[in-house]
């Protein structure tokens, strides 16, 4: 028997995996259309890990850096600092 909390956690994990895959697909379309020539990926560790498996080689080749960090509600300055 799966408890309500377990069901919520599974749904959240499914939603996160779906988001990661959709974002990876969007990045591929943008890379293929040459909408960017360099990419810095910053995402929470779990989402970034899920995205890595879905990223097309074209996107990976344009990725300059991947930063597994949660920066939700961070200032522009704090995000810039992560990029060095």
């Amino acid at each position: 028997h799966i408890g309500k909390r377990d069901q919520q956690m599974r749904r959240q994990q499914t939603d996160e995996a779906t988001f990661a895959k959709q974002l990876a697909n969007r990045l591929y379309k943008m890379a293929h259309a040459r909408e960017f020539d360099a990419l810095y990926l910053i995402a929470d560790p779990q989402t970034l890990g899920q995205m890595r498996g879905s990223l097309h080689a074209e996107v990976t080749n344009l990725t300059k850096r991947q930063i597994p960090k949660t920066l939700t509600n961070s200032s522009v300055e704090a995000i810039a600092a992560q990029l060095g």
Side-chain angles (χ1 to χ4, degrees):
H1 182 265
I2 298 174
K4 186 171 182 150
R5 182 177 173 152
D6 289 335
Q7 289 176 341
Q8 288 174 332
M9 288 177 62
R10 286 184 182 175
R11 180 179 168 98
Q12 182 179 355
Q13 289 171 339
T14 299
D15 289 349
E16 288 173 359
T18 300
F19 170 76
K21 185 173 253 186
Q22 289 174 342
L23 183 54
N25 287 336
R26 179 70 181 129
L27 289 172
Y28 169 68
K29 289 176 184 176
M30 292 174 71
H32 192 70
R34 299 179 191 259
E35 292 183 33
F36 60 86
D37 58 2
L39 180 66
Y40 293 81
L41 286 174
I42 303 174
D44 68 272
Q46 183 175 343
T47 300
L48 189 56
Q50 290 171 334
M51 284 180 61
R52 284 183 182 129
S54 300
L55 290 174
H56 190 276
E58 192 169 350
V59 175
T60 302
N61 291 339
L62 294 172
T63 301
K64 302 300 180 193
R65 191 164 168 208
Q66 295 183 13
I67 302 170
K69 189 157 187 153
T70 301
L71 295 176
T72 305
N73 299 322
S74 296
S75 67
V76 172
E77 292 81 13
I79 295 170
Q82 290 296 314
L83 296 173

